[in-house]
Amino acid sequence: MLRSLVGSEMCIRDRDEHVVNLQPPDSREGKGKSVRFERAFMGEHTQDVVYDTVARPLIKDVLSGCSATVMAYGQTGSGKTFSIFGPAEQLGRRRRQSLAKTDCGRIGRDAGIIPRAAEDLFDAIKAAEHGYECRVEVSLVQIYMEILQDMITGATSMMSELPGQALRIREDPQYGTFIENLSSHVATSASEVKDLVERGYARRCVEATHLNDVSSRSHVIVCMRVIVREKEDVGLVRHGRLQCVDLAGSESIKKSGSVGLRAEEAKSINLSLLCLGNVISCIAQGAGATPRFRDSKLTRLLQDSLSGCVKTVMIVTAPPGAEHYRETLSSLQFAERAIKVKLQPRMQATSAAPSAELVMRLEAKIAQLENSRNQNSPENPELMARIEQSEANLQLAESTAKEWEAKYDELSSKYRKKSDECLALLDKLSEGEDKIQRFLQVSQAEIQRQQDVIQAKSLSADLVRQRTISQIDDLLTNSVQQLQANSGRKPVHSGTKSWLLKSPPVSGSPFKPHDISHDISCEIRSPTPLGVRSGGKGPSPSVSRSSQDLSLQEKYDDLADENNQLWDKIIELQDESEKYKADLKVAEQKQARADMALKSKDDFVLKMMKQMQPLLD
């Protein structure tokens, strides 16, 4: 199906009802491509023409017990949702102008395949109600970033769902692939089908991009299951199914401008469509290749439609504008591979267990035959054969009913046993979680308290260190200035020297020592310099000094003593800092033990979930 964009140059030049010829807008794009289809629709074709060609022939097959699938594939914004559902904005706002019947009793002009198929399906059921008993069940599911969601109830396939309610993909030897716990709703008319579809479509993930204001971000599968029971053939039931699949459009992130979550959605959509294309290519190759249906949930759900006994019709939508040449070429190549897939549809019929109503009808018929036998000659062979056949049917029905009752009792017993085991495991899990939660709360409170104490002590030690260093700096500066002032006159002898007083470094100190360096000029009668002590008073000079020199030596000795005392105090503060570090290391160890406890709790929860998984399945 090709829908043109207003004002765009066309890249599709020649076409007829079966062949589409695609021509590149630039010779550098390579040669054109020609693909043959069952039918090619252009923008001027209306919805009723598409439906009459694609889906209307499938209604009769569905009532006969066959399964059919209508699938829409194409670039985002090319018209897939419009073809399947109709105008998407009217569905989202629950306005039904185009879906509701008009005054003349027919649906709107823009209605999609689903509402038209519902009308034809119930019209056919009404026409054949004298010979059949039919029931129609509707279900809707969407696949959003590999997560299944029931679009009517809201249930998903995530682990957060309650046990026994999460959606799971299962396989049945008779009915094929199905979704466990997916809700199925009985519809008695076409209007009820439309109401269910509109109700479910309100949950669809739709966002705006540069290419489409209502871009679908999920794949949607609408299933109408028809159960047909023939009134004449006792116990024979036929199962038909019509699936309408609206695939999310393939998207170029550069063109759509998707960022963040929108970009992740586009990656998930493109990956699932890539898996679909790979599966179709493997099926088209024949027996030599094995399709990998389990690569994505989309291919898993479409497994029967692609390789089973199902009639599948694929609608490929493509914009014919020249700016979308590459996307249109990719869609046509996908369609060319899909055409090579050959399917063999067949009817699905089963023999259902006889109901109480059927047993009563057979008993009444037997009684009627017995009355007829009493009234007629017992030698009538035809009458006797009918009676014997009825009695055999009755015995068969009674034995079948007993077998079903026994199976039901057995399954009920197993279910109750599994439920009790599951509840016991849940109780143990809840008890373990409570214990771990209490332990974590106590551990975190203790760790926080110790961290607060260590932080307070560390701040106090930093303040003391800063104050001590400042005091040392001021004391040394004042002392040196006094010494320089007292030794300002000329020396008696020419042996005057300059010497340095430096603060001794503290080994292993966590901070950089406060270096103080001053030049002090002293009058010295002898050339022997004044020694600097590190642990006490220095040696006395061997020559005689004046009273002024002795006073200067005493002041310097006092200054050295004070300096040593201050550095002893700094070493003491350093020891306290080491102690604080040890306390901090103990707190970190406790934090590590708490983290290990939390990890053990997570491992325990995962182990319990693995043990419970077989019970939930």
Side-chain angles (χ1 to χ4, degrees), residues 128-133 228-238 358 361-362 365 393:
E129 61 183 359
H130 61 280
Y132 301 94
E133 295 178 359
V228 182
R229 186 190 302 272
E230 295 187 12
K231 295 181 179 180
E232 296 298 332
D233 194 347
V234 178
L236 181 63
V237 180
R238 290 181 293 184
L358 179 60
R361 285 166 50 191
L362 291 174
K365 193 170 183 178
N393 290 339

Side-chain angles (χ1 to χ4, degrees), residues 168-385:
R168 296 287 183 270
I169 301 177
R170 304 295 187 194
E171 292 185 7
D172 183 84
Q174 182 175 1
Y175 298 107
T177 306
F178 68 97
I179 301 177
E180 185 181 35
N181 298 322
L182 179 64
S183 64
S184 183
H185 303 264
V186 178
T188 59
S189 63
S191 60
E192 292 185 6
V193 174
K194 299 171 193 174
D195 291 339
L196 288 170
V197 171
E198 291 176 0
R199 175 183 166 189
Y201 195 87
R203 295 182 184 270
R204 186 170 193 182
C205 300
V206 177
E207 295 294 340
T209 65
H210 292 171
L211 296 177
N212 191 359
D213 293 336
V214 285
S215 176
S216 301
R217 318 307 290 175
S218 63
H219 310 296
V220 174
I221 300 176
V222 179
C223 180
M224 289 184 283
R225 183 185 178 193
V226 183
I227 303 173
V228 182
R229 186 190 302 272
E230 295 187 12
K231 295 181 179 180
E232 296 298 332
D233 194 347
V234 178
L236 181 63
V237 180
R238 290 181 293 184
H239 301 270
R241 183 177 63 177
L242 176 61
Q243 277 193 152
C244 295
V245 183
D246 181 17
L247 300 174
S250 58
E251 181 176 313
S252 171
I253 296 179
K254 182 178 180 180
K255 287 187 176 181
S256 64
S258 300
V259 295
L261 180 59
R262 301 287 84 78
E264 294 299 323
E265 292 171 348
K267 292 178 183 177
S268 177
I269 292 170
N270 292 338
L271 180 60
S272 61
L273 294 178
L274 176 63
C275 294
L276 177 62
N278 292 337
V279 167
I280 290 178
S281 297
C282 289
I283 297 174
Q285 291 176 11
T290 302
R292 300 176 60 178
F293 291 103
R294 293 180 178 269
D295 284 352
S296 72
K297 286 186 171 61
L298 176 63
T299 53
R300 183 92 182 275
L301 291 177
L302 297 180
Q303 181 173 350
D304 296 334
S305 300
L306 297 175
S307 63
C309 303
V310 179
K311 279 192 173 182
T312 301
V313 179
M314 179 174 291
I315 302 174
V316 178
T317 59
E323 64 273 19
H324 301 287
Y325 169 76
R326 291 184 179 273
E327 289 78 8
T328 301
L329 177 62
S330 177
S331 299
L332 294 182
Q333 291 173 344
F334 180 89
E336 192 174 24
R337 294 195 302 268
I339 291 174
K340 300 178 182 178
V341 177
K342 304 298 180 182
L343 301 177
Q344 297 178 353
R346 62 177 175 83
M347 183 182 70
Q348 293 181 355
T350 59
S351 295
S355 60
E357 180 183 357
L358 179 60
V359 173
M360 292 177 62
R361 285 166 50 191
L362 291 174
E363 289 178 349
K365 193 170 183 178
I366 290 173
Q368 182 182 0
L369 291 175
E370 286 180 351
N371 293 332
S372 299
R373 183 179 62 179
N374 294 333
Q375 293 176 4
N376 296 285
S377 172
E379 301 298 331
N380 189 347
E382 182 180 356
L383 181 60
M384 292 300 294

